[in-house]
Amino acid sequence: MRTMYHPNVNEINLSTVLYALSDQIRLNIIKILDKNGEQSCSSLDISAPKSTLSHHFKVLRESGVIHTRLVGTQRFISIRYDDLNSRFPGLLSAVLLGMEQ
């Protein structure tokens, strides 16, 4: 199995994070993870083809927004709160707050 790319904290850049958060499906993923914590990819209730969701998970992961943890054949995803807040204080909170309105 190939290794999944997760950028180091100092490699996370604002334009990539903003791009990752610019899609409604990806925003829904973040909203669910914020509300429920770490989730398996298959447990997210988002109506989209599996290949489309895989693409969105990859964009979020490679931008540094989420972390994917492998357990057997399962993939668990979580938001990289600490890393994002250390690079861009308040950004994620503002995005999540804006989604509530």
Side-chain angles (χ1 to χ4, degrees):
M1 180 175 280
R2 66 187 172 123
T3 305
M4 290 185 288
Y5 174 73
H6 292 91
N8 292 323
V9 176
N10 60 348
E11 296 174 322
I12 299 172
N13 69 61
L14 183 59
S15 62
T16 307
V17 170
L18 291 176
Y19 170 76
L21 297 174
S22 69
D23 182 89
Q24 190 60 50
I25 291 176
R26 293 192 288 265
L27 282 174
N28 287 339
I29 292 168
I30 296 304
K31 185 176 180 180
I32 291 168
L33 292 175
D34 181 60
K35 180 180 177 188
N36 301 326
E38 183 181 60
Q39 299 284 304
S40 70
C41 293
S42 59
S43 71
L44 296 176
D45 187 26
I46 298 175
S47 63
K50 186 176 177 180
S51 60
T52 300
L53 288 176
S54 293
H55 166 73
H56 289 302
F57 294 142
K58 180 181 178 183
V59 170
L60 288 167
R61 180 176 39 80
E62 291 184 352
S63 70
V65 175
I66 65 170
H67 177 78
T68 304
R69 182 174 62 92
L70 295 173
V71 178
T73 59
Q74 292 275 340
R75 293 174 187 234
F76 292 89
I77 56 175
S78 58
I79 298 174
R80 293 176 63 175
Y81 290 107
D82 293 340
D83 294 341
L84 290 170
N85 283 327
S86 72
R87 291 286 289 153
F88 315 109
L91 175 67
L92 190 57
S93 298
V95 168
L96 291 168
L97 183 62
M99 291 173 59
E100 292 176 5
Q101 299 173 356

